[in-house]
Amino acid sequence: MRYSQLLIPTLKEVPAEAIVVSHQLLFRAGFIRKLAAGIYNLLPLALRTVHKIERIIREELGRAGAQELLMPAVQPSELWEESGRWQKYGAELLRFQDRKGAWFCLGPTHEEVITDLVKREVRSYRQLPLNLYQIQSKFRDEIRPRFGLMRGREFLMKDAYSFDATAEGAHKSYHQMYNAYRRIFERCGLDFRAVEADTGNIGGSLSHEFQVLAESGEDEILSCDHCTYAANVEKAELKAREVTAGEPTHAVEKVSTPGQKTIAEVAAFLKAAPSALAKTLLFKADDKIVVVVLRGDHEVNLPKLKALLGGVEPVLASDEVVSKITGAPPGYAGPVGLAGVEVVADNALAGATDLIVGANEADTHLRHVAVGRDFTPSKFADLRLARPGDRCPRCEEGKYVTHRGIEVGHVFYLGTKYSVAMNARFLDDKGEEKPFEMGCYGIGVTRTMAAAIEQNHDADGIKWPIGIAPYHAMVVPLQMKDAKVVETAEKIQADLTAAGLESVLDDREERPGIKFKDADLLGFPFRIVIGQKGLAGGTVELKRRGSAEVLNLSPQDAVAHIQKAVAAELQKSA
Ligand code: ATP
Ligand code: MG
């Protein structure tokens, strides 16, 4: 293709709302234009990258035995009533009526549609396992669409759904998809981690997020610096340490702490380390009050607490409730002498002595409190947020390090949640009716494109990984009026095409500086510059985007060099 014929509307300015680099660069390099909040046109260069990501997905899912289909974006409310999500999904679900007054929504995801389809078409265990996927536009009326393609309202997603006869089979399907995802993101050229994720309302099931590492990521990930364990911070486990409790040496003592309520205030006032304090938090879980005790420098992890409560959502108790239960103003709650409520403690407090805790009395704390002597929790559990430096629970040798990540994919074992709700059953080998065992698997296609830029850019522009670059090379003739320069450039492009490589020939009558700037901004992996000076010696200049090195090669060698690099990349798909 010739640059002058392509729609590549590059710009110098970025809109003020573009605060992350992928949004800025996609806009400046002429890849996207906004139509409405969170809704974008994908221009020709963007669509080429999207098609490459889709192709990788199709190849790898095909290899994993999944079949592609296409479901409608418009979905009738009845299906969502069946699953119970018409009520539960909230304002992210865009609902509307047709001319007859029937309610529909724009699909944010397709569990209902696929479960209904499979329920009608699949009768026997002999037709299982079945894995169906589509690549399609989703609509979610996100409360804060932002960061361009990273959190849009309309966006492209690959969503897959597996159906198995047994939980064991579903786990196998899950692991197949997990492995396919690893290959997909490797082939996209991304540095990512597959992290264990919170399973939200499902609980106890398998879930991994695929996170592209980038400073701008919305998620915090902890990974072990020694083994492969990685988890979303909400999920990152901590192993209970063996403690040999020392004998408490002091009796409990009341101390006056007028006006000192927070851990930081009390620690400073009593000249103690925050870790020498315990914090006492009261939660409401259904109609019950649960008291959680943690070391002063630790933070509670709500998903872990929820799991301990058997899936009941804990809500921090109001000041009135705290005062009623403890008999003291908020800020002075403590576990000693609290009657009629369940007290649970974080593992880090097992065997602790000499703690400072609230006295359940205004302006007063207790010191020299010993767990087991002065209060006895009903349970010890892993209840706190892990943090960098904590010991890895799996290998127990490494330590957690922290990263920021962008969630580009999610694999999820669903069990029979939807099949039971929607009464989707098959006949097993004994002729008995059973609900399907399901899994669901998403990849944000447009988000993956943005994440690739978040991870691969510099001050001059994008640095596309070879596997998903819109074109492999920019061919830049410097003097458009010199017939030999132009002829050589055209010959190079023809040779690249013959070798199966994609290129743009920058035929614009622009100064070299402008052509170089645009080539860097668009970020194709290779740039070949053809100028009068080099041609006099029979060479052209080859440069890899992001590298300072310039190779002076014959036109044939320059083409061969790119061919070799791209072939090495394609090896990954072998
Ligand atoms: P998030 O926590 O970021 O809102 P999610 O848990 O809602 O994501 P899923 O429902 O698992 O996401 O959707 C599958 C994939 O779709 C995600 O892994 C992500 O890559 C992509 N995705 C989700 N929401 C958006 C969005 N608003 N814009 C672009 N891509 C999205
Ligand atoms: Mg979401």
Side-chain angles (χ1 to χ4, degrees), residues 82 87 111 126 139 149 162 167 239 271 326 364 390 398 421 504:
E82 260 184 63
Q87 278 73 30
E111 279 84 4
R126 286 195 198 84
F139 194 93
L149 298 187
S162 64
K239 191 153 178 139
K271 299 193 174 49
T326 65
T364 314
D390 282 333
V504 172

Side-chain angles (χ1 to χ4, degrees), residues 362-553:
D363 298 331
T364 314
H365 280 75
L366 300 177
R367 68 169 149 212
H368 306 310
V369 168
V371 179
R373 182 190 68 181
D374 306 313
F375 75 98
T376 306
S378 68
K379 277 188 206 111
F380 288 97
D382 175 14
L383 288 174
R384 74 172 173 96
L385 277 177
R387 55 190 187 189
D390 282 333
R391 197 170 293 283
C392 170
R394 294 293 154 84
C395 68
E396 297 190 52
E397 293 200 20
K399 291 204 164 81
Y400 277 136
V401 287
T402 179
H403 311 270
R404 304 297 307 181
I406 301 167
E407 182 198 319
V408 289
H410 196 175
V411 292
F412 210 106
Y413 166 60
L414 288 168
T416 57
K417 177 177 167 174
Y418 291 93
S419 51
V420 165
M422 298 181 68
N423 198 21
R425 296 166 184 278
F426 65 97
L427 292 176
D428 75 4
D429 54 359
K430 294 179 197 74
E432 277 170 37
E433 281 212 326
K434 290 264 166 67
F436 293 101
E437 278 281 343
M438 292 173 58
C440 67
Y441 316 90
I443 291 180
V445 176
T446 35
R447 187 184 281 183
T448 299
M449 170 160 71
I453 297 174
E454 292 294 333
Q455 193 174 73
N456 300 282
H457 66 270
D458 61 18
D460 299 322
I462 306 170
K463 298 194 284 185
W464 287 111
I466 288 177
I468 60 172
Y471 289 90
H472 297 118
M474 184 75 89
V475 181
V476 186
L478 292 184
Q479 298 85 15
M480 285 305 296
K481 299 218 156 57
D482 183 318
K484 184 156 181 231
V485 168
V486 173
E487 245 168 59
T488 309
E490 284 170 350
K491 172 80 167 65
I492 287 173
Q493 185 170 49
D495 289 349
L496 287 169
T497 307
L501 301 169
E502 302 149 1
S503 62
V504 172
L505 194 157
D506 190 349
D507 59 341
R508 296 173 303 166
E509 301 271 0
E510 294 281 5
R511 282 182 289 114
I514 290 188
K515 291 188 171 187
F516 294 160
K517 261 198 156 37
D518 280 339
D520 281 348
L521 178 62
L522 302 188
F524 306 163
F526 295 96
R527 185 182 86 188
I528 303 180
V529 176
I530 302 104
Q532 286 164 336
K533 239 194 256 158
L535 280 192
T539 62
V540 296
E541 288 181 355
L542 177 69
K543 194 170 162 299
R544 180 85 161 85
R545 176 69 179 91
S547 146
E549 193 187 16
V550 175
L551 301 173
N552 290 293
L553 301 171

Side-chain angles (χ1 to χ4, degrees), residues 89 92 140 142 151 155 407 447:
Y89 209 91
E92 259 187 42
R140 295 182 179 179
E142 297 272 354
R151 185 169 296 284
F155 57 96
E407 182 198 319
R447 187 184 281 183

